[in-house]
Short mmCIF file of all heavy atoms in Angstrom, two decimals:
data_model
loop_
_atom_site.label_atom_id
_atom_site.label_comp_id
_atom_site.label_asym_id
_atom_site.label_seq_id
_atom_site.Cartn_x
_atom_site.Cartn_y
_atom_site.Cartn_z
N ILE A 2 102.35 81.84 66.02
CA ILE A 2 102.59 80.48 66.46
C ILE A 2 102.63 79.51 65.33
O ILE A 2 103.47 78.63 65.29
CB ILE A 2 101.57 80.19 67.52
CG1 ILE A 2 101.77 81.05 68.82
CG2 ILE A 2 101.71 78.72 67.94
CD1 ILE A 2 100.78 80.83 69.86
N ASN A 3 101.64 79.67 64.44
CA ASN A 3 101.60 78.62 63.37
C ASN A 3 102.76 78.70 62.47
O ASN A 3 103.28 77.70 61.93
CB ASN A 3 100.30 78.74 62.56
CG ASN A 3 100.13 80.11 61.83
OD1 ASN A 3 100.69 81.16 62.34
ND2 ASN A 3 99.52 80.12 60.77
N ILE A 4 103.30 79.92 62.24
CA ILE A 4 104.52 80.09 61.39
C ILE A 4 105.72 79.51 62.10
O ILE A 4 106.48 78.73 61.47
CB ILE A 4 104.73 81.60 61.09
CG1 ILE A 4 103.62 82.15 60.27
CG2 ILE A 4 106.15 81.79 60.41
CD1 ILE A 4 103.77 83.64 60.01
N LYS A 5 105.85 79.74 63.40
CA LYS A 5 106.99 79.15 64.15
C LYS A 5 106.89 77.69 64.15
O LYS A 5 107.87 76.95 63.98
CB LYS A 5 106.89 79.71 65.61
CG LYS A 5 108.09 79.17 66.43
CD LYS A 5 107.94 79.73 67.85
CE LYS A 5 109.06 79.18 68.79
NZ LYS A 5 108.99 79.73 70.14
N PHE A 6 105.67 77.14 64.33
CA PHE A 6 105.48 75.67 64.31
C PHE A 6 105.93 75.09 62.98
O PHE A 6 106.61 74.05 62.92
CB PHE A 6 104.01 75.32 64.59
CG PHE A 6 103.64 73.92 64.44
CD1 PHE A 6 104.00 73.02 65.39
CD2 PHE A 6 102.95 73.45 63.29
CE1 PHE A 6 103.67 71.65 65.28
CE2 PHE A 6 102.63 72.17 63.18
CZ PHE A 6 103.01 71.26 64.20
N THR A 7 105.47 75.74 61.91
CA THR A 7 105.79 75.24 60.56
C THR A 7 107.27 75.21 60.30
O THR A 7 107.91 74.32 59.73
CB THR A 7 105.03 76.10 59.47
OG1 THR A 7 103.67 76.06 59.73
CG2 THR A 7 105.37 75.53 58.11
N ARG A 8 107.95 76.31 60.79
CA ARG A 8 109.38 76.42 60.57
C ARG A 8 110.10 75.29 61.33
O ARG A 8 111.06 74.65 60.80
CB ARG A 8 109.87 77.78 61.02
CG ARG A 8 109.52 78.89 60.08
CD ARG A 8 109.96 80.22 60.60
NE ARG A 8 109.69 81.32 59.72
CZ ARG A 8 109.81 82.59 59.98
NH1 ARG A 8 110.25 83.00 61.18
NH2 ARG A 8 109.59 83.53 59.06
N ILE A 9 109.74 75.08 62.58
CA ILE A 9 110.33 74.08 63.36
C ILE A 9 110.18 72.67 62.74
O ILE A 9 111.09 71.85 62.65
CB ILE A 9 109.77 73.99 64.80
CG1 ILE A 9 110.13 75.28 65.53
CG2 ILE A 9 110.18 72.81 65.54
CD1 ILE A 9 109.46 75.43 66.92
N LEU A 10 108.94 72.42 62.28
CA LEU A 10 108.69 71.15 61.60
C LEU A 10 109.45 70.99 60.35
O LEU A 10 110.01 69.90 60.03
CB LEU A 10 107.18 71.06 61.29
CG LEU A 10 106.54 69.71 61.35
CD1 LEU A 10 106.88 68.92 62.62
CD2 LEU A 10 105.02 69.84 61.22
N THR A 11 109.60 72.04 59.53
CA THR A 11 110.34 71.97 58.30
C THR A 11 111.81 71.76 58.59
O THR A 11 112.43 70.91 57.92
CB THR A 11 110.20 73.26 57.57
OG1 THR A 11 108.78 73.48 57.31
CG2 THR A 11 110.94 73.27 56.18
N ILE A 12 112.40 72.41 59.62
CA ILE A 12 113.77 72.24 59.92
C ILE A 12 114.00 70.79 60.41
O ILE A 12 114.99 70.17 60.04
CB ILE A 12 114.15 73.24 61.07
CG1 ILE A 12 114.22 74.66 60.49
CG2 ILE A 12 115.51 72.87 61.63
CD1 ILE A 12 114.33 75.75 61.52
N SER A 13 113.04 70.27 61.20
CA SER A 13 113.20 68.86 61.65
C SER A 13 113.21 67.91 60.48
O SER A 13 114.00 66.94 60.49
CB SER A 13 112.05 68.56 62.59
OG SER A 13 112.07 69.33 63.72
N LEU A 14 112.38 68.21 59.47
CA LEU A 14 112.34 67.35 58.25
C LEU A 14 113.68 67.38 57.53
O LEU A 14 114.21 66.37 57.09
CB LEU A 14 111.18 67.81 57.37
CG LEU A 14 111.05 67.08 56.01
CD1 LEU A 14 110.88 65.59 56.28
CD2 LEU A 14 109.88 67.65 55.28
N ILE A 15 114.24 68.60 57.38
CA ILE A 15 115.48 68.69 56.63
C ILE A 15 116.60 68.02 57.41
O ILE A 15 117.42 67.33 56.80
CB ILE A 15 115.83 70.21 56.44
CG1 ILE A 15 114.77 70.86 55.48
CG2 ILE A 15 117.25 70.42 55.93
CD1 ILE A 15 114.95 72.34 55.37
N CYS A 16 116.60 68.13 58.74
CA CYS A 16 117.66 67.49 59.53
C CYS A 16 117.54 65.97 59.38
O CYS A 16 118.55 65.26 59.27
CB CYS A 16 117.49 67.86 61.00
SG CYS A 16 117.93 69.57 61.32
N ALA A 17 116.33 65.43 59.33
CA ALA A 17 116.15 64.00 59.18
C ALA A 17 116.64 63.58 57.78
O ALA A 17 117.23 62.51 57.66
CB ALA A 17 114.66 63.67 59.31
N ALA A 18 116.38 64.47 56.82
CA ALA A 18 116.85 64.14 55.47
C ALA A 18 118.35 64.03 55.38
O ALA A 18 118.90 63.16 54.83
CB ALA A 18 116.29 65.09 54.46
N LEU A 19 118.95 65.08 55.99
CA LEU A 19 120.44 65.13 55.98
C LEU A 19 121.02 63.96 56.69
O LEU A 19 122.10 63.37 56.25
CB LEU A 19 120.99 66.48 56.49
CG LEU A 19 120.60 67.68 55.73
CD1 LEU A 19 121.04 68.94 56.48
CD2 LEU A 19 121.17 67.59 54.30
N THR A 20 120.45 63.54 57.74
CA THR A 20 120.92 62.37 58.53
C THR A 20 120.90 61.17 57.70
O THR A 20 121.76 60.31 57.59
CB THR A 20 120.13 62.20 59.79
OG1 THR A 20 120.27 63.38 60.61
CG2 THR A 20 120.60 60.95 60.62
N ALA A 21 119.71 60.99 57.00
CA ALA A 21 119.56 59.75 56.15
C ALA A 21 120.49 59.77 55.01
O ALA A 21 120.98 58.72 54.56
CB ALA A 21 118.11 59.78 55.58
N CYS A 22 120.87 60.95 54.52
CA CYS A 22 121.85 61.05 53.36
C CYS A 22 123.16 60.47 53.77
O CYS A 22 123.91 60.04 52.90
CB CYS A 22 121.99 62.51 52.91
SG CYS A 22 120.57 63.15 52.09
#
Side-chain angles (χ1 to χ4, degrees):
I2 293 178
N3 63 329
I4 294 175
K5 181 180 180 181
F6 172 75
T7 303
R8 286 177 177 171
I9 292 173
L10 210 49
T11 302
I12 291 170
S13 297
L14 176 58
I15 293 172
C16 290
L19 293 176
T20 300
C22 289

